[in-house]
């Protein structure tokens, strides 16, 4: 169960958590045309709190809306301020932030007409997405029987609500079959991403991730690419196949929720030594240090706030 906070920001006002309600004829509830973000705030090493790459997430929210054809009735700066306000009013020093843009009720039928565009921002405490043990020991993954979207079916550069039907199908299938997470291939058969994470592999100290052809442009992905390059690693964006993943030395998923989660097994094949690899461990440690304000070099990625 999500742990309730006191308030939710809804269409420009802070309302009580339990009062943030919608009508059953809410257009997005029926047809899935909405967009959202997932953002984390961390308690930093100096005791202050900071949101990681807040503006970048809000810009992606606006990009997602543009792709889906939704005009958000607020500015980027207004949403940024609203997120900080919501964290503060809820006294949340650390946690998860979920802005959601959706089409409200009015007309029915696929064309949303001039139904109102509504915006909500919820915040709540949220620990490790795949569990603390996953961060340490890694997870077991199964290639999904479902493909990630072809760009001309659903555009993956949008973090669109409806895209996640595909993710839910894959995730439920994987978990039902006894795995922790699903690996999704694109419609050509190349490795794409997981249900809510991008993927990296490491072979002979070269770090590889998929290009942005069929995946969400992850902010964690971009952050890790920068941190890894700054550490001197060679990082390439290149399509790869599932068998290249099977014989990688290391593999990991990354995302705001999943952070840096090592993969220890794919399709019942052990990856590397079947535990968190050395490069993965280093990047995971550095990532947590960066998001918690422990590395001055990346302080521009943090928006501090006081409770
Ligand atoms: N792919 C998908 C499908 C996702 O839902 C997410 C989580 N937003 C990611 C990748 C990772 O993106 P980010 O690092 O920006 O959270």
């Amino acid at each position: 169960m999500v742990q309730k906070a006191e308030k939710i920001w809804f269409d420009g006002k802070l309302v009580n958590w339990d009062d943030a309600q919608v009508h059953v004829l809410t257009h997005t509830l029926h047809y899935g045309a909405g967009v959202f973000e997932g953002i984390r705030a961390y308690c930093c090493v100096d005791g202050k709190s900071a949101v990681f790459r807040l503006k970048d997430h809000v810009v992606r929210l606006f990009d997602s809306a543009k792709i889906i054809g939704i005009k958000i009735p607020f500015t980027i700066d207004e949403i940024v301020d609203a997120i900080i306000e919501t964290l503060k009013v809820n006294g949340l020093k650390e946690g998860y932030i979920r802005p959601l843009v959706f089409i409200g009720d009015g007309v029915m039928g696929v064309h949303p007409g001039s139904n109102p565009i509504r915006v909500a921002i919820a915040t709540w405490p949220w620990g490790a997405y795949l569990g603390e043990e996953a961060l340490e020991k890694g997870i077991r993954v199964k290639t999904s029987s479902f493909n990630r979207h072809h760009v001309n079916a659903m555009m993956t550069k949008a973090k669109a609500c409806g895209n996640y039907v595909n993710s839910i199908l894959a995730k439920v299938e994987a978990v039902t079959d006894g795995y922790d997470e699903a690996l999704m291939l694109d419609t050509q058969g190349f490795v794409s991403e997981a249900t809510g994470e991008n993927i990296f592999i490491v072979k002979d100290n070269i770090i590889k991730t998929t290009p942005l052809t069929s995946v969400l442009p992850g902010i964690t992905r971009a952050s890790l690419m920068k941190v890894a390059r700054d550490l001197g690693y060679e990082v390439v964006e290149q399509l790869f196949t599932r068998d290249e993943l099977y014989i990688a030395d290391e593999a990991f998923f990354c995302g705001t929720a999943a952070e840096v989660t090592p993969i220890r097994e794919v399709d019942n094949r052990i990856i590397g030594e079947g535990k968190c690899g050395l490069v993965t461990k280093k990047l995971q440690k550095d990532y947590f240090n960066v998001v918690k304000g422990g590395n001055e070099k990346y302080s521009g990625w943090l928006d501090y706030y006081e409770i």
Side-chain angles (χ1 to χ4, degrees), residues 36-39 52 57 60 96 98 129 148 156 158-159 163-164 167 184 192-199 214-223 254-259 287:
F36 66 100
E37 267 305 316
I39 313 171
F52 185 60
H57 277 283
R60 188 173 67 185
Y96 190 78
R98 168 55 55 82
Y129 180 65
R148 202 62 177 142
T156 53
K159 195 166 167 63
N163 284 3
Y164 286 81
S167 288
M184 308 192 71
S192 176
E193 61 181 346
T195 62
E197 305 93 358
N198 294 115
I199 186 169
S214 70
V215 306
L216 185 78
I219 289 168
T220 318
R221 172 188 176 280
S223 308
C254 72
T256 299
E259 296 160 320
Y287 179 74

Side-chain angles (χ1 to χ4, degrees), residues 74-210:
F74 295 95
T75 63
I76 290 176
D77 287 345
E78 282 168 339
I79 298 298
V80 165
D81 291 348
I83 287 170
I84 297 289
E85 189 189 0
T86 312
L87 284 166
K88 287 174 85 159
V89 79
N90 287 325
L92 218 60
K93 294 190 77 140
E94 180 162 77
Y96 190 78
I97 304 146
R98 168 55 55 82
L100 171 70
V101 177
F102 63 98
I103 305 173
D105 56 302
V107 299
M108 286 303 278
V110 169
H111 197 295
S114 56
N115 286 12
I117 304 303
R118 309 197 61 187
V119 185
I121 300 165
T123 60
W124 64 86
W126 206 0
Y129 180 65
L130 294 157
E132 282 296 331
E133 202 182 283
L135 287 177
E136 201 191 315
K137 294 192 176 152
I139 57 169
R140 296 179 60 244
V141 173
K142 174 95 178 78
T143 303
S144 184
S145 70
F146 297 99
N147 283 130
R148 202 62 177 142
H149 307 283
H150 185 282
V151 65
N152 290 337
M154 288 295 286
M155 293 170 281
T156 53
K157 284 187 183 56
K159 195 166 167 63
C161 301
N163 284 3
Y164 286 81
V165 176
N166 179 245
S167 288
I168 291 170
L169 288 169
K171 179 83 183 191
V172 172
E173 179 187 62
V175 170
T176 305
D177 290 348
Y179 299 86
D180 301 302
E181 183 54 288
L183 170 72
M184 308 192 71
L185 305 180
D186 68 17
T187 48
Q188 286 182 284
F190 292 103
V191 169
S192 176
E193 61 181 346
T195 62
E197 305 93 358
N198 294 115
I199 186 169
F200 282 80
I201 57 174
V202 183
K203 182 84 174 175
D204 299 327
N205 266 349
I206 297 174
I207 300 173
K208 190 182 281 192
T209 190
T210 61

Side-chain angles (χ1 to χ4, degrees), residues 223-241:
S223 308
L224 289 171
M225 286 172 71
K226 167 89 178 119
V227 169
R229 282 183 177 139
D230 289 351
L231 286 168
Y233 287 105
E234 187 180 338
V235 182
V236 293
E237 289 176 273
Q238 208 176 75
L239 288 172
F240 59 92
T241 49

